[in-house]
Amino acid sequence: MRELRKQRGRPRKGGEDYDVVRERLVRAGVAALTEYGFVSTGLDQVVRAAGVPKGSFYTFFSSKEEFGLELIERYGVYFARRLDRFLLDETLSPLGRLRAFMQDSFANVTRFDYQRGCLVGNLGQEMSALPESFRQRLIDVFTDWQGRVEACLLSAQEAGEIASEIDCARKAELFWIGWEGAILRAKLERRVHPLEAYSEDFFKSLKLRHG
Amino acid sequence: MRELRKQRGRPRKGGEDYDVVRERLVRAGVAALTEYGFVSTGLDQVVRAAGVPKGSFYTFFSSKEEFGLELIERYGVYFARRLDRFLLDETLSPLGRLRAFMQDSFANVTRFDYQRGCLVGNLGQEMSALPESFRQRLIDVFTDWQGRVEACLLSAQEAGEIASEIDCARKAELFWIGWEGAILRAKLERRVHPLEAYSEDFFKSLKLRHG
């Protein structure tokens, strides 16, 4: 991420638009990182997309590193809420919830013309070039998402939808490993097929053996 | 990738060291892209690592895009050879060959201190920020690797090592989708565990159902 020089006239922190502008920066940042990752994204590009004067960035964030850390945090929370919308939907069976999440993701990836992937996956891939402080945050986000999928799989197991010998914690971990790989391939190939193939295989691997 | 300005005095193309120097540039480029991806890698960093005078880069490559395309090609070929070393090793059973490749990869990832991933995976992740010409090349490389794994799985099926109902082409595609995701996580977490967990699960999914 390219640096922006600090400017002198700092906008007042107590100003009524402070939170609104800060939020615009965060949203623009998340969108850019989801598409391009951290290294390719310039701060100037983010402030332009947010419609914020170039010089005021440092009123809101002390550094691009701090900004990046907040974007990871915010994306993690946003995505956890998105997951919950599906995984806690009691009108569906536990496996049906996971399936609904996946299908919504297929639609999303297509809607953004295969440009946007997963912010956490993008940054994970770039880790060698990122501030070391990002590492644990990215791992924490995966751990959080994993816990939500694990809970869903445990419910599925309780409901007799998946084999009882399945280690749900391990399966949830594997789910995210493969999912990130599938997002990568879908973006590369500009088609939803890798995600569909992966999902089908994942569900097959949960099947009752002698059911 | 940052640009280098062209310099005037071009080294002679017929010089005896021409191929040697060009090869050094390619090797330094592959190493950098395996670690950092395309966007974070500066050409100045590559020429420095190769011990080549800054100004002579454009004697060897007309642009950074052409350089990148050659690096993808070269990495694809290098890696295909590495795959063959295992997948065509007739002293092992077909599944044993795939297992040997994976175990060698665990060792490799550790040896490079979790810094180096897969050049093709890295570039796939960055695709939004890369020249469009890279896309088909990256897909072609995956297709090539996939064909090699498929052939190995077919041999395993013939040898009765894996279930006969398995679609080996599909499984080979899924192998690479998940493998790239596992490499990403191993680099992020700085441990081999995600690769081991993925491999174990992959082999389990090949098991004979009623065997």
Side-chain angles (χ1 to χ4, degrees):
Chain A
M1 225 179 218
R2 279 154 274 145
E3 289 264 10
L4 274 183
R5 268 177 315 132
K6 289 197 187 190
Q7 288 201 354
R8 280 178 236 168
R10 305 195 134 218
R12 318 113 292 145
K13 238 178 183 152
E16 58 177 332
D17 292 339
Y18 185 86
D19 291 343
V20 177
V21 175
R22 195 175 190 284
E23 188 60 26
R24 283 219 305 272
L25 283 168
V26 168
R27 281 168 188 265
V30 166
L33 263 55
T34 307
E35 187 157 345
Y36 300 107
F38 192 74
V39 177
S40 308
T41 297
L43 282 186
D44 45 358
Q45 164 191 350
V46 172
V47 292
R48 211 182 314 119
V52 173
K54 233 178 158 178
S56 60
F57 177 83
Y58 290 100
T59 309
F60 301 97
F61 301 96
S62 69
S63 65
K64 54 185 180 166
E65 180 171 343
E66 189 199 287
F67 185 51
L69 286 170
E70 176 149 344
L71 298 184
I72 295 170
E73 177 83 27
R74 290 289 296 272
Y75 184 81
V77 170
Y78 144 77
F79 202 88
R81 258 192 233 128
R82 205 188 128 212
L83 270 175
D84 283 352
R85 205 166 66 231
F86 297 100
L87 301 187
L88 303 179
D89 178 356
E90 301 208 338
T91 68
L92 299 168
S93 81
L95 270 200
R97 298 170 204 168
L98 193 57
R99 203 181 291 277
F101 160 70
M102 285 163 148
Q103 269 158 359
D104 186 66
S105 302
F106 301 163
N108 251 334
V109 167
T110 315
R111 186 157 65 91
F112 289 111
D113 199 26
Y114 308 100
Q115 293 291 314
R116 297 203 182 165
C118 170
L119 184 148
V120 172
N122 288 352
L123 269 58
Q125 194 78 335
E126 295 183 298
M127 195 54 229
S128 306
L130 300 184
E132 191 55 34
S133 62
F134 286 18
R135 191 185 302 278
Q136 193 55 50
R137 291 278 185 106
L138 293 168
I139 294 173
D140 291 346
V141 172
F142 275 129
T143 307
D144 174 76
W145 297 350
Q146 207 164 294
R148 290 167 206 266
V149 170
E150 181 188 350
C152 181
L153 292 177
L154 284 168
S155 301
Q157 208 164 38
E158 233 168 85
E161 285 191 297
I162 67 176
S164 61
E165 75 265 23
I166 283 171
D167 176 342
C168 294
R170 172 59 64 95
K171 254 311 180 205
E173 182 186 20
L174 288 163
F175 172 75
W176 289 108
I177 288 175
W179 184 255
E180 291 293 339
I183 290 275
L184 187 158
R185 280 293 283 277
K187 281 174 67 184
L188 177 63
E189 298 183 9
R190 299 181 60 76
R191 56 182 187 144
V192 83
H193 164 79
L195 283 164
E196 287 173 341
Y198 173 71
S199 301
E200 189 192 310
D201 190 67
F202 184 77
F203 284 114
K204 206 186 276 177
S205 80
L206 300 173
K207 259 199 197 148
L208 300 165
R209 287 261 154 160
H210 313 287
Chain B
M1 226 179 215
R2 279 155 273 148
E3 288 265 9
L4 274 182
R5 269 177 315 136
K6 286 196 188 190
Q7 289 201 353
R8 281 177 234 169
R10 305 194 135 221
R12 315 114 295 145
K13 235 174 185 155
E16 56 179 334
D17 292 339
Y18 185 86
D19 292 343
V20 176
V21 175
R22 194 175 190 284
E23 189 61 24
R24 283 219 304 271
L25 282 169
V26 168
R27 280 167 189 264
V30 166
L33 263 56
T34 306
E35 189 158 342
Y36 300 107
F38 193 75
V39 177
S40 309
T41 297
L43 282 186
D44 44 358
Q45 164 191 351
V46 172
V47 292
R48 209 181 316 118
V52 173
K54 231 177 156 179
S56 60
F57 177 83
Y58 289 100
T59 309
F60 300 97
F61 302 96
S62 68
S63 64
K64 54 184 181 168
E65 178 171 345
E66 189 199 288
F67 185 52
L69 286 169
E70 177 150 343
L71 298 184
I72 295 169
E73 177 82 27
R74 290 289 296 274
Y75 184 82
V77 169
Y78 144 78
F79 202 89
R81 260 194 230 125
R82 205 188 129 215
L83 271 175
D84 283 352
R85 204 165 69 232
F86 296 101
L87 302 186
L88 304 178
D89 178 356
E90 302 208 337
T91 67
L92 299 168
S93 81
L95 271 200
R97 297 170 205 166
L98 193 57
R99 204 181 289 277
F101 159 71
M102 285 163 149
Q103 270 159 357
D104 187 65
S105 301
F106 301 163
N108 252 332
V109 166
T110 316
R111 187 157 65 90
F112 289 111
D113 199 27
Y114 309 101
Q115 293 291 314
R116 296 204 183 164
C118 171
L119 186 146
V120 172
N122 288 352
L123 270 58
Q125 194 78 335
E126 295 182 297
M127 195 54 228
S128 307
L130 300 184
E132 191 54 36
S133 61
F134 286 18
R135 191 184 303 278
Q136 194 55 51
R137 291 279 184 105
L138 293 168
I139 294 172
D140 291 346
V141 172
F142 275 130
T143 307
D144 174 76
W145 297 351
Q146 206 163 296
R148 289 166 209 265
V149 170
E150 181 188 350
C152 182
L153 292 176
L154 284 168
S155 300
Q157 208 163 41
E158 231 167 86
E161 285 190 297
I162 67 176
S164 61
E165 73 265 23
I166 282 171
D167 176 342
C168 294
R170 172 60 65 96
K171 254 312 181 202
E173 182 187 20
L174 289 164
F175 172 75
W176 289 108
I177 287 175
W179 185 254
E180 291 294 339
I183 290 277
L184 186 158
R185 281 293 283 277
K187 280 174 68 185
L188 176 63
E189 298 183 9
R190 299 182 60 76
R191 56 182 188 145
V192 84
H193 164 78
L195 283 164
E196 287 173 340
Y198 173 71
S199 300
E200 190 193 308
D201 190 67
F202 184 78
F203 283 114
K204 207 186 275 176
S205 80
L206 299 173
K207 260 200 198 147
L208 300 165
R209 287 262 153 159
H210 313 288

